[in-house]
Amino acid sequence: MSALANHKFVKMNGIGNEIVVVDMRDSGKPISADDARAVAQPDGAPYDQLMALYAPRTPGTDGFIRIYNNDGSEAGACGNGMRCVATLFSGAIGKNALTFETKSGILNCIMNADGTFTVDMGKPRFAWNEIPLSEEFRDTRAIELQIGPIDKPILHSPSVVSMGNPHAIFWVDDVNAYDLEKFGPLLENHPMFPERANITLAHIVSRDHIVMRTWERGAGLTRACGSAACATAVAAARLKRTDRTVRMTLPGGELTIEWRERDDHVLMTGPAEFEFEGIFAPALFEKAAKDATKAGA
């Protein structure tokens, strides 16, 4: 039986980034890719990311989190999801500062006076083989990549950064002037990105304000992507086009991103909202198993 059958879940969102949270600390059972995809179906609890909280595996942390995209793949980081988890469990754990371990490392979450959380997303990575890219670029502030005709590309020369996930940021004058649903999948799966990539369109309004839209790896067009907001803010500061603290406007709302100078850590601050809670029906996973069997027949 699925690890999630008859299991409680909470549906939340971080400025429109749809998040499902499940507490697996008692069971410890792994969630399969098929289970993650089943949850994302219309008769389940559709989401951008599924955050599964497990018992700590490193001393000094409050838990280990596995992050799933709605296509069943695993993500290394999800800033909006981390705020949702911190908001949900801070009261239960009885702490305003929490430390979680993820696939990409240790993340600290701190409650602010207004009830929002700031997530320390750690240091960005810029080396081509850390992002990773399929070929070497000594300067990742702008790489040779374009889509469209060679003499008149539609999008070109993105900045690339890793914030636990690979990100490519294309600088544009109007983020709504491009069909991101069309170009997003092509760029996400471009041979340049051996682990696929999150694709962002970004418009720098001023030195402290950026407007952006993101096609999220493994999730598609999203109203918000916290790690993409971090990557975009860092990329803009690397180009000397913004300061190190910026207001990020996404389709779902706003985040404040600070690329802290003293240690190069990226801090993301924003709200998280509770939507509803429920229990996963076993039939949801039985149907997914039958469909998988038919597909393999």
Side-chain angles (χ1 to χ4, degrees):
M1 180 178 288
S2 165
L4 294 177
N6 293 314
H7 202 288
K8 293 181 180 178
F9 70 89
V10 177
K11 178 72 183 298
M12 303 184 73
N13 82 79
I15 64 166
N17 198 178
E18 298 296 333
I19 305 295
V20 167
V21 182
V22 291
D23 186 352
M24 306 296 289
R25 288 176 295 175
D26 290 338
S27 74
K29 293 181 180 179
I31 297 171
S32 70
D34 286 341
D35 290 343
R37 285 191 290 268
V39 170
Q41 298 306 304
D43 51 348
Y47 64 86
D48 293 317
Q49 274 74 42
L50 169 67
M51 313 289 289
L53 174 64
Y54 288 90
R57 62 180 198 179
T58 299
T61 62
D62 295 297
F64 175 73
I65 297 177
R66 295 184 70 175
I67 306 168
Y68 298 85
N69 298 313
N70 59 30
D71 69 351
S73 63
E74 284 198 59
C78 177
N80 288 321
M82 293 303 304
R83 292 201 318 279
C84 289
V85 172
T87 299
L88 188 60
F89 290 105
S90 61
I93 296 174
K95 298 168 65 176
N96 290 338
L98 303 100
T99 300
F100 295 111
E101 183 180 3
T102 71
K103 185 178 178 181
S104 294
I106 305 295
L107 298 179
N108 296 307
C109 306
I110 301 172
M111 183 184 287
N112 302 304
D114 61 359
T116 63
F117 270 87
T118 294
V119 180
D120 184 340
M121 298 288 286
K123 294 182 179 181
R125 294 191 286 274
F126 306 120
W128 71 274
N129 57 341
E130 292 179 325
I131 291 170
L133 304 177
S134 60
E135 62 181 272
E136 182 176 359
F137 286 91
R138 302 183 75 176
D139 186 352
T140 53
R141 288 176 295 181
I143 67 168
E144 295 176 17
L145 176 65
Q146 67 180 46
I147 190 167
I150 294 177
D151 58 343
K152 195 175 182 181
I154 298 169
L155 295 168
H156 64 90
S157 308
S159 299
V160 286
V161 182
S162 173
M163 285 300 313
N165 297 328
H167 292 272
I169 302 99
F170 292 86
W171 307 105
V172 299
D173 292 329
D174 181 357
V175 299
N176 295 307
Y178 300 84
D179 189 350
L180 192 52
E181 284 191 276
K182 176 181 178 181
F183 300 124
L186 298 175
L187 290 163
E188 174 193 352
N189 296 285
H190 193 282
M192 182 63 73
F193 307 114
E195 297 180 7
R196 300 185 294 167
N198 297 273
I199 307 301
T200 292
L201 303 179
H203 168 57
I204 297 175
V205 180
S206 65
R207 292 199 62 82
D208 63 358
H209 184 204
I210 299 174
V211 176
M212 58 176 282
R213 294 174 66 214
T214 296
W215 175 272
E216 195 165 4
R217 178 185 68 166
L221 195 62
T222 181
R223 290 179 56 77
C225 178
S227 62
C230 294
T232 301
V234 167
R238 284 186 83 202
L239 291 168
K240 309 297 185 185
R241 297 183 64 187
T242 62
D243 300 327
R244 293 177 73 107
T245 299
V246 291
R247 174 168 60 96
M248 308 296 297
T249 299
L250 300 86
E254 294 194 341
L255 296 170
T256 298
I257 307 296
E258 176 189 358
W259 186 17
R260 194 163 58 194
E261 194 161 8
R262 64 179 171 83
D263 60 4
D264 276 344
H265 281 224
V266 182
L267 308 180
M268 177 186 58
T269 301
E273 297 180 349
F274 172 87
E275 292 187 10
F276 61 88
E277 58 186 352
I279 296 175
F280 292 124
L284 182 66
F285 307 99
E286 293 168 3
K287 179 178 180 296
K290 289 178 182 178
D291 291 343
T293 300
K294 289 179 181 178

